Every structure is written in C-alpha cells, then in structure tokens.
C-alpha cells in the first residue's frame, strides 16, 4: 500500500488486527491451524464494524464480504474430519488475492479523492441528484 493510503488506514484497528493475525504463522499441529482459522474468522467479521468514513463505500464493503466468505470457508474446511488439502491450498491463494484486491480498492479510492473537481462540477452533480427533483 502506498504511503497516502497507509496513513489513512493507520487508525483502522480492525484492519491492523486482521493483518497481524494473518501474518502470524500457526504451529505445525492441526489444532493450531484450527484455532488460527477460528481467530481469523472473528477478526474478519470485525472488519465490518468500524470502517473509516472515507472507505465506508459499497466497493469496500463488498470486498470485505468476499474476504469474510473466504476466511469462513477456510475455517470450515480446516475443521472437517477429513481436511481437503487441495481446497485449503486453493482457498489460501484466493484469500491472498482478495486481500490484494481489497488493498488496491482502497488505493483507488484515495487516488480518486485526490483528483480536484473542475469548476461547476459540483453543480452538475447536484443537478443529477434525483432526490432533489420537484415532486409531481
């Protein structure tokens, strides 16, 4: 993540906790992996709680939902009696990809917010707002 985006998400405690948890490697026992998956699931669910105002947009909320779904699937597969190794490996790779996409989406929002508005653009946006229309 670039410095500008990093500065904006530094105060997002839930995101930092999630990244810290995901970067910690569990011990080599199945029980440790199961506990790790359960903890990740809890941390992922907490991502929805205090989304910073600038990032509280539909794009970010949908990315969070995808991450939560992947983490919960991983948690489910890890807790099965017969663990499907190939599915778990595939899910871990997909989860890493979704986290990258999530971070790219945050960077995109920050970049778009830095583009200055042209003269009269704000008035044009107001005119397109259908909630301001005169009722019949």
């Amino acid at each position: 993540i670039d410095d500008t985006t990093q500065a904006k998400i530094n105060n997002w405690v839930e995101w930092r906790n999630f990244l810290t948890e995901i970067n910690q490697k569990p011990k080599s026992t199945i029980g440790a992996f199961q506990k790790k998956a359960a903890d990740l699931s809890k941390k992922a669910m907490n991502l929805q709680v205090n989304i910073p105002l600038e990032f509280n947009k539909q794009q970010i909320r949908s990315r969070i939902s995808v991450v939560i779904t992947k983490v919960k699937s991983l948690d489910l597969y890890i807790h099965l009696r017969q663990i499907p190794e190939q599915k778990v490996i595939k899910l871990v790779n997909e989860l890493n990809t979704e986290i990258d996409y999530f971070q790219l989406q945050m960077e995109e929002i920050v970049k778009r917010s830095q583009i200055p508005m042209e003269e009269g653009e704000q008035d044009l946006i107001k005119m397109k707002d259908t909630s301001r229309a005169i009722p019949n």
Side-chain angles (χ1 to χ4, degrees), residues 9-127:
I9 61 171
N10 272 343
N11 295 331
W12 192 7
V13 176
E14 291 80 10
W15 177 247
R16 279 197 327 243
N17 291 342
F18 178 75
L19 287 181
T20 302
E21 186 68 35
I22 211 160
N23 287 325
Q24 293 173 351
K25 305 292 182 222
K27 297 175 185 167
S28 59
T29 64
I30 293 297
F33 278 94
Q34 289 173 338
K35 184 179 181 325
K36 177 72 165 182
D39 290 345
L40 267 177
S41 184
K42 290 175 190 170
K43 302 273 182 178
M45 287 302 292
N46 287 339
L47 288 175
Q48 299 176 347
V49 176
N50 291 323
I51 302 172
L53 189 59
E54 183 174 0
F55 298 117
N56 196 3
K57 300 182 182 316
Q58 183 60 39
Q59 305 95 306
I60 294 296
R61 288 191 303 270
S62 62
R63 293 277 180 200
I64 289 173
S65 295
V66 171
V67 168
I68 289 171
T69 303
K70 298 287 182 190
V71 169
K72 284 188 170 193
S73 297
L74 181 64
D75 188 24
L76 173 77
Y77 286 136
I78 289 288
H79 282 88
L80 293 175
R81 191 175 303 253
Q82 288 274 4
I83 299 173
E85 295 174 32
Q86 294 305 316
K87 285 186 179 184
V88 169
I89 292 169
K90 182 180 176 193
L91 262 175
V92 168
N93 289 330
E94 289 174 3
L95 181 60
N96 287 332
T97 302
E98 291 302 330
I99 291 171
D100 289 342
Y101 289 157
F102 182 75
Q103 291 175 338
L104 288 172
Q105 186 70 55
M106 287 191 290
E107 285 182 358
E108 181 71 22
I109 289 173
V110 170
K111 286 178 187 175
R112 285 182 180 216
S113 70
Q114 293 173 343
I115 298 172
M117 285 196 165
E118 292 184 17
E119 185 178 323
E121 187 175 356
Q122 189 64 36
D123 296 333
L124 184 63
I125 291 171
K126 282 182 185 177
M127 288 181 4

